[in-house]
Amino acid sequence: MRLNFSIFIKLLVLQYLSVLCVSEDFDFFYFVQQWPGSYCDTKHSCCYPRTGKPVADFGIHGLWPQNKDGSYPQNCNPDNALDEDQLKISDLTSSLQKDWPSLSCPSSTGFRFWSHEWEKHGTCAESEEIDQHGYFEAALKLKEKANLLQALRNAGIQPDDEFYDLGSIKEAIKDAIGFTPGIECNIDPSKNSQIYQVFMCVDISGSEFIECPAVPKRRCASKVQFPKF
């Protein structure tokens, strides 16, 4: 009995050490959300998921480990791919389809998108607290916490094809989460600068928004369009 218990403990230690070996040190997360109307304009076309057109709301792009110097780890554990058949995130599927939809072509269930984000970014955040399920759950909770669309609406900023002051957009989001975000813009076929992606910084636990140690440098006009979707 003692021998079996000893083996069990050793296996647990090895499993823990294996996680430490594949995970990478990083300083914070970028939590990135994108506006679907701008994505479709940026790509000149998009394909709705097989579940149908997503709601007109910001969708999750990813939760990305990042370093203060601008570098970032990626593809840290190719042996821990997201397996659709293992159903490790099956209880989150409906929430992921709603809040983390894929608009790329061809139309899909979204699993390919989620798998890419996990393998490129999520594997570099693996720890005792963050496994596959924890990674996706953390992103979903952050989206709910930020509630970007409502934050902008509270400031009178609507997805109505109108142009809004970039500073006002940042200020509205800061009022909601307590910290200044980074904004990435795209140029649509009519040469309009549009709000495309919002970068928010999160501590390494994946749960709390923080002031960005480094904000990605993205070009935006002083006034940007908030397109309909």
Side-chain angles (χ1 to χ4, degrees):
M1 187 70 170
R2 289 181 178 175
L3 180 60
N4 288 339
F5 181 74
S6 176
I7 293 173
F8 175 71
I9 293 297
K10 288 178 180 178
L11 287 172
L12 284 179
V13 170
L14 286 172
Q15 184 179 29
Y16 174 69
L17 289 175
S18 68
V19 169
L20 290 180
C21 289
V22 298
S23 62
E24 295 282 339
D25 290 333
F26 61 97
D27 297 324
F28 64 99
F29 284 104
Y30 277 141
F31 177 55
V32 187
Q33 293 190 65
Q34 59 188 10
W35 180 249
S38 300
Y39 177 94
C40 292
D41 282 350
T42 300
K43 303 298 181 182
H44 305 292
S45 65
C46 56
C47 292
Y48 297 154
R50 293 176 188 170
T51 51
K53 182 180 179 180
V55 296
D57 193 6
F58 285 89
I60 298 169
H61 186 171
L63 184 61
W64 305 340
Q66 189 77 19
N67 294 314
K68 294 177 181 178
D69 64 5
S71 65
Y72 56 90
Q74 58 180 327
N75 301 310
C76 295
N77 187 8
D79 294 328
N80 190 16
L82 193 64
D83 190 336
E84 194 167 13
D85 295 329
Q86 290 183 2
L87 303 178
K88 289 183 179 179
I89 59 171
S90 59
D91 61 311
L92 302 176
T93 299
S94 60
S95 295
L96 290 170
Q97 288 174 337
K98 174 179 174 290
D99 294 331
W100 200 328
S102 172
L103 290 168
S104 63
C105 297
S107 180
S108 69
T109 62
F111 182 82
R112 184 177 63 230
F113 184 24
W114 310 328
S115 179
H116 166 78
E117 289 298 314
W118 165 255
E119 291 171 21
K120 182 175 181 179
H121 303 288
T123 55
C124 300
E126 284 184 86
S127 66
E128 283 190 298
E129 293 78 24
I130 301 179
D131 56 9
Q132 289 184 358
H133 189 278
Y135 175 76
F136 289 100
E137 186 175 42
L140 290 168
K141 287 181 177 179
L142 288 168
K143 182 184 185 304
E144 182 179 10
K145 193 173 185 178
N147 200 357
L148 285 183
L149 185 58
Q150 188 58 54
L152 293 173
R153 282 176 168 162
N154 289 344
I157 300 170
Q158 306 273 0
D160 53 7
D161 286 341
E162 295 298 322
F163 288 79
Y164 295 93
D165 182 72
L166 181 63
S168 298
I169 292 173
K170 290 182 177 181
E171 193 62 33
I173 297 172
K174 181 180 179 180
D175 287 344
I177 68 171
F179 304 100
T180 303
I183 304 293
E184 178 181 1
C185 297
N186 68 287
I187 303 297
D188 74 358
S190 300
K191 308 301 182 183
N192 295 315
S193 180
Q194 299 178 321
I195 179 172
Y196 176 34
Q197 296 199 123
V198 178
F199 288 72
M200 293 161 282
C201 294
V202 178
D203 67 4
I204 59 174
S205 75
S207 60
E208 298 295 333
F209 292 112
I210 61 172
E211 195 66 57
C212 283
V215 178
K217 295 180 179 179
R218 302 288 191 267
R219 290 185 177 181
C220 288
S222 58
K223 286 187 175 292
V224 296
Q225 187 182 43
F226 197 1
K228 295 177 181 178
F229 178 66

